[in-house]
Amino acid sequence: MKTLYLECNMGAAGDMLTAALLKLVPDKEASLARINAMGLPGVEVRAEPSVKCGITGTHVTVTVDGQEEESCDFHHHDHEHPHDHEHPHDHEHPHDHEHPHDHEHPHDHEHPHDHEHPHDHEHPHDHEHPHDHEHPHDHAHPHDHEHPHLHTHPHGHGPHSHSHAGLEEIRHLIGHLQVSGWVKDQALAVYKLIAEAESHAHGVPVGYVHFHEVGAMDAVADVVSFCLLMEELAPEQVVVSPVHVGSGQVRCAHGILPVPAPATAHILQGVPVYGGAVQGELCTPTGAALLRHFATSFGSMPVMTISATGYGMGKKDFEWANCVRAHLGNTDGEGDQVLELSCNLDDMTPEALGYAQELLMEAGALDVFTTPAGMKKNRPGVLLTCVCRDGEGKKFADLMLRHTTTLGVREKQCRRYVLLREILTRSTPYGEIRVKVAQGDGFTKSKAEYEDVARAAREHGVSISQVLEALK
């Protein structure tokens, strides 16, 4: 079984996870070109060598309109900006306040040189802070929006890219990228996890959560890039080590918060985590959401034959190597544990049942299906079955209880054996078509991705059979 093992002993951030995967793909330059061609306006992703504690790895740098997003404290529009602390980067918060455009930001302070700026996660602001200057801030904030969620606030010392995007704006942005439907679905599922965590932390509906730092273009690039690389690697299982979250406190727009931040702690519920001697935020909400969404299990490294190892480096230096390590390999002869959740239904309309099935698949179920069943009192009904990863039973049972008429859900643990899979892209007269190839025990199976075939048939006015024939 093709297995990806992620070591998060020094935490996790979106750019570090992406950097670790880049070493695992067959052609790093081709993958980078694919990332940079996905259509994020003004965004460029670069991979550069980086050394931590004598280990050489990869650091991913994202630039927006030619400038790297530098760290900065959160910018509410009605508070002072202290700078003598560490700066978190990807915490979002609800924006249920007004944004006056003629306010002032008092900055009569100095910037001490001995403070630390962690840079191993999303960087929402692209300005620099020289250390021997004052900040004049009696200016206006123009809001010429070229993008639905990008606010540029010139502050006299470099532009600030302020993102105030809700989940719908993020969905609109990702929906127009030049990536597959699978990548879009995974990226949106990651953002949904973050939005739900922020909703819980702030006590507001999901619709009122506005992504501040994490909604910036560079953070979108981190999330979608990771999803794109996961599509290319196509691991059958993803095992993640216990996550080092750091310790101490972190300052955000709402004040000083404990580490892990509330959103991170909510996302990591049910996940093995630990703190340590490192003072600072090592796991960001974005990193936590990526791990939570893609992990099939959490624990120690399984018995596996390693084929490639990648190191994704952060910017900050600690006594320990600031990196995420990723191993790609094979766990031949081993299966993985899945759960089968089921319930009997005899009083739902087909439309309502279909909607429930769609919700379960969108939430990340491995499979959802129905089976005709004869119910008590001679009523015809259906058996609804949801297959999910081990450890996610409660999540999907709650969805089934909420969106169906059942009063109870049964759970059964199963062991499954699967073929080693990979996704290949083949060129045809009708464009590029992805093909899923599965191998095992001396035989090979392949099948074209239906969405790609249907899209090609629509765009070129031909039948699906003609597209499939071209693949041969």
Side-chain angles (χ1 to χ4, degrees):
M1 178 186 299
K2 192 174 186 180
T3 300
L4 174 65
Y5 181 65
L6 296 173
E7 289 185 57
C8 301
N9 300 322
M10 282 303 298
D15 55 349
M16 295 170 68
L17 290 165
T18 297
L21 294 195
L22 272 173
K23 182 66 176 178
L24 307 181
V25 295
D27 189 339
K28 184 175 77 172
E29 295 304 320
S31 296
L32 271 175
R34 187 180 171 201
I35 288 172
N36 284 309
M38 61 186 176
L40 277 175
V43 172
E44 181 184 4
V45 179
R46 297 196 304 269
E48 303 159 341
S50 177
V51 178
K52 300 290 181 184
C53 297
I55 301 172
T56 301
T58 302
H59 174 69
V60 164
T61 301
V62 179
T63 58
V64 181
D65 295 327
Q67 293 186 335
E68 183 178 356
E69 297 285 271
E70 296 295 337
S71 64
C72 178
D73 194 16
F74 296 95
H75 287 262
H76 272 308
H77 298 288
D78 54 2
H79 68 287
E80 296 187 1
H81 300 222
H83 288 271
D84 55 345
H85 54 274
E86 295 189 358
H87 303 287
H89 298 266
D90 63 350
H91 301 267
E92 26 330 289
H93 53 273
H95 288 261
D96 53 355
H97 56 278
E98 295 296 321
H99 295 256
H101 302 291
D102 56 354
H103 58 282
E104 297 183 358
H105 294 244
H107 277 263
D108 299 333
H109 59 278
E110 295 181 355
H111 295 257
H113 293 265
D114 58 353
H115 65 286
E116 296 179 333
H117 296 254
H119 288 273
D120 55 348
H121 46 298
E122 287 74 23
H123 307 289
H125 297 279
D126 56 354
H127 65 281
E128 298 181 355
H129 289 272
H131 296 278
D132 295 302
H133 66 284
E134 295 182 88
H135 298 256
H137 280 269
D138 46 352
H139 54 276
H141 291 244
H143 285 263
D144 296 329
H145 298 212
E146 296 180 2
H147 227 273
H149 69 283
L150 193 61
H151 298 241
T152 301
H153 297 234
H155 278 224
H157 58 282
H160 293 241
S161 296
H162 286 208
S163 170
H164 300 278
L167 193 58
E168 287 305 313
E169 287 84 1
I170 295 295
R171 181 177 287 112
H172 176 79
L173 174 64
I174 293 175
H176 286 78
L177 296 181
Q178 299 301 310
V179 295
S180 70
W182 186 88
V183 171
K184 294 176 183 178
D185 290 343
Q186 306 313 303
L188 288 172
V190 170
Y191 268 103
K192 186 177 179 182
L193 278 176
I194 302 172
E196 290 173 348
E198 288 297 332
S199 170
H200 180 270
H202 297 298
V204 298
V206 171
Y208 283 86
V209 172
H210 282 68
F211 300 97
H212 191 56
E213 278 72 18
V214 81
M217 299 291 278
D218 62 329
V220 176
D222 285 336
V223 171
V224 181
S225 296
F226 185 84
C227 295
L228 192 149
L229 293 173
M230 286 294 291
E231 178 186 48
E232 186 171 352
L233 292 171
E236 187 54 37
Q237 70 169 342
V238 180
V239 183
V240 179
S241 74
V243 181
H244 191 177
V245 297
S247 62
Q249 299 171 323
V250 64
R251 183 184 295 271
C252 77
H254 304 282
I256 298 175
L257 300 176
V259 171
T264 304
H266 184 79
I267 294 170
L268 293 178
Q269 285 183 358
V271 173
V273 301
Y274 63 99
V278 176
Q279 292 288 314
E281 181 186 41
L282 298 182
C283 184
T284 67
T286 300
L290 287 170
L291 295 176
R292 187 61 186 262
H293 177 68
F294 283 102
T296 55
S297 63
F298 290 86
S300 58
M301 178 187 289
V303 177
M304 60 187 294
T305 303
I306 297 174
S307 57
T309 299
Y311 292 82
M313 303 303 198
K315 275 192 175 181
K316 196 171 182 180
D317 292 319
F318 299 109
E319 183 179 352
W320 300 270
N322 181 16
C323 68
V324 170
R325 183 161 67 168
H327 301 285
L328 187 66
N330 193 21
T331 52
D332 286 330
E334 292 188 3
D336 63 335
Q337 298 291 335
V338 297
L339 298 179
E340 271 193 9
L341 306 176
S342 60
C343 63
N344 293 11
L345 303 167
D346 64 359
D347 55 351
M348 285 188 72
T349 66
E351 294 85 357
L353 181 56
Y355 177 70
Q357 289 180 261
E358 291 175 4
L359 287 178
L360 292 169
M361 289 301 296
E362 289 173 1
L366 298 174
D367 197 8
V368 180
F369 59 91
T370 58
T371 307
M375 309 287 287
K376 59 186 178 183
K377 299 182 180 179
N378 297 318
R379 295 174 182 171
V382 296
L383 172 68
L384 174 64
T385 303
C386 172
V387 182
C388 67
R389 298 180 178 90
D390 194 11
E392 293 188 328
K394 179 67 165 57
K395 167 186 171 181
F396 286 98
D398 286 347
L399 286 173
M400 293 172 72
L401 289 169
R402 183 180 301 120
H403 295 287
T404 73
T405 56
T406 189
L407 302 180
V409 174
R410 301 179 296 277
E411 178 183 287
K412 178 171 64 178
Q413 190 174 59
C414 304
R415 188 174 184 85
R416 66 171 183 169
Y417 297 90
V418 297
L419 297 176
L420 182 64
R421 309 176 195 180
E422 62 179 333
I423 302 294
L424 303 179
T425 301
R426 295 180 179 172
S427 297
T428 74
Y430 308 110
E432 292 188 341
I433 305 294
R434 288 175 301 154
V435 178
K436 182 181 294 183
V437 179
Q439 302 178 28
D441 294 332
F443 60 88
T444 300
K445 300 178 181 180
S446 63
K447 183 177 181 180
E449 289 288 346
Y450 169 77
E451 290 181 356
D452 290 4
V453 174
R455 171 186 49 77
R458 283 194 298 267
E459 291 178 354
H460 294 273
V462 298
S463 66
I464 285 180
S465 60
Q466 287 175 279
V467 178
L468 292 175
E469 184 66 27
L471 276 172
K472 297 180 180 179

